[in-house]
């Protein structure tokens, strides 16, 4: 694992965006695995800025998002499809038809997951996977459990995740209880992985991810086994390392 230490969130966002920028320049038709949440927002802002300056072209890029709440309409302001459109896709020249997010409206979980795995398979491999890190060590919505889940699956969100995500909803009761998420195997198959981690409240879990045992109780610890992971983290997040 490579650790890229940054001064603060702004610096983190610029450095993470630079890695993605290099990927898009080197391979204009690359497959980007993307994440939602607060951590990558600054990264997307930087990429938009460089796109607007004419430094980046996303017209041939395909994107595959990690996860989506089950039951939310794509135009619901809390859905991850909405998040991606408003925070990134609407501001760059990516073809919307080349952007994929699990279908939160599919009530048949098995079908939703099977369909998404097919999409991932048809893309022939993610070139660069961007990840955030949950307070309990989750990546995507792969919550702590007894096994590392392989493909796309439907998860019951843990109280810790519901609590962390309630800030985006009117009340905790509004946070969906289930989500579809890419599995650990699909994440691990990405050629390159970039994890953005910011803030003191992530310091303890980041230490476990990097230095602790590899265990599905800390899902991100599996990243220790990947050959090309860069953790871009600010000083606060690295304060326990
Ligand atoms: C989002 C996702 C989650 C988040 C994680 C951290 O698509 O897959 O794993 O990356 O919950 O969220 P933030 O960045 O809001 O702390």
């Amino acid at each position: 694992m490579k650790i890229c230490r940054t001064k603060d969130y702004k610096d983190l966002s610029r450095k993470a965006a630079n890695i993605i920028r290099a990927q898009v320049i080197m391979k204009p038709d690359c497959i980007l695995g993307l994440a939602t949440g607060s951590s990558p927002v600054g990264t997307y802002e930087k990429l938009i800025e460089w796109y607007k300056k004419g430094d980046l072209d996303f017209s041939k890029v395909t994107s595959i998002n990690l996860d989506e709440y089950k039951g939310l309409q794509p135009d619901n302001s809390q859905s991850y499809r909405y998040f991606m459109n408003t925070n990134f896709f609407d501001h760059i020249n990516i073809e919307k038809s080349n952007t994929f997010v699990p279908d939160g409206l599919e009530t048949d979980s098995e079908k939703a997951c099977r369909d998404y795995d097919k999409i991932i398979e048809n893309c022939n491999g993610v070139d660069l996977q961007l990840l955030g890190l949950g307070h309990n060590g989750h990546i995507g919505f792969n919550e702590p459990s007894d096994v590392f889940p392989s493909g796309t699956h439907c998860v019951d969100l843990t109280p810790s995740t519901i609590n962390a995500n309630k800030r985006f909803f009117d009340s905790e009761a509004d946070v969906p209880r289930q989500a579809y998420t890419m599995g650990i195997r699909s994440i691990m198959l990405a050629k390159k992985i970039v994890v953005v981690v910011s803030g003191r409240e992530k310091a303890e879990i980041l230490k476990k991810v990097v230095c602790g045992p590899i265990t599905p109780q800390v899902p991100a610890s599996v990243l220790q086994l990947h050959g090309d992971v860069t953790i871009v983290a600010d000083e606060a997040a690295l304060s326990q390392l």
Side-chain angles (χ1 to χ4, degrees), residues 35-39 66-67 80 132-134 138-140 167 202:
T36 61
S38 354
S39 308
L66 284 167
D67 41 17
Y80 284 175
L133 176 66
H138 73 214
I139 44 178
R167 67 193 194 276
K202 298 271 177 81

Side-chain angles (χ1 to χ4, degrees), residues 20 51 70 104 112 117 206 225 241:
I20 299 171
Y51 163 71
K70 183 175 174 183
D117 277 340
L206 184 56
L225 297 174
L241 273 165

Side-chain angles (χ1 to χ4, degrees), residues 25-46:
I25 291 172
M26 297 304 286
K27 188 176 176 194
D29 60 347
C30 64
I31 315 288
L32 296 180
L34 298 177
T36 61
S38 354
S39 308
V41 169
T43 305
Y44 294 142
E45 279 169 4
K46 267 291 165 203

Side-chain angles (χ1 to χ4, degrees), residues 62-165:
T62 296
S63 73
I64 306 183
N65 262 77
L66 284 167
D67 41 17
E68 178 61 286
Y69 288 116
K70 183 175 174 183
L72 293 193
Q73 300 275 349
D75 59 357
N76 180 305
S77 63
Q78 301 310 330
S79 78
Y80 284 175
R81 162 54 75 182
Y82 185 91
F83 175 100
M84 288 311 298
N85 286 348
T86 51
N87 284 285
F88 195 32
F89 300 150
D90 285 348
H91 309 282
I92 57 172
N93 65 338
I94 196 165
E95 293 284 342
K96 279 275 176 65
S97 56
N98 291 337
T99 67
F100 299 98
V101 178
D103 181 1
L105 284 186
E106 177 56 69
T107 49
D108 178 344
S109 300
E110 268 186 36
K111 180 175 184 317
C113 298
R114 216 175 34 238
D115 288 352
Y116 207 58
D117 277 340
K118 256 187 229 136
I119 290 171
I120 298 170
E121 211 180 295
N122 288 343
C123 284
N124 253 331
V126 169
D127 291 293
L128 185 155
Q129 176 68 57
L130 179 64
L131 296 175
L133 176 66
H135 291 89
N136 58 6
H138 73 214
I139 44 178
F141 272 131
N142 292 281
E143 300 282 32
S145 83
D146 294 336
V147 288
F148 287 114
S150 165
T152 304
H153 56 288
C154 180
V155 280
D156 296 326
L157 302 184
T158 61
S160 148
T161 300
I162 292 168
N163 186 47
N165 289 5

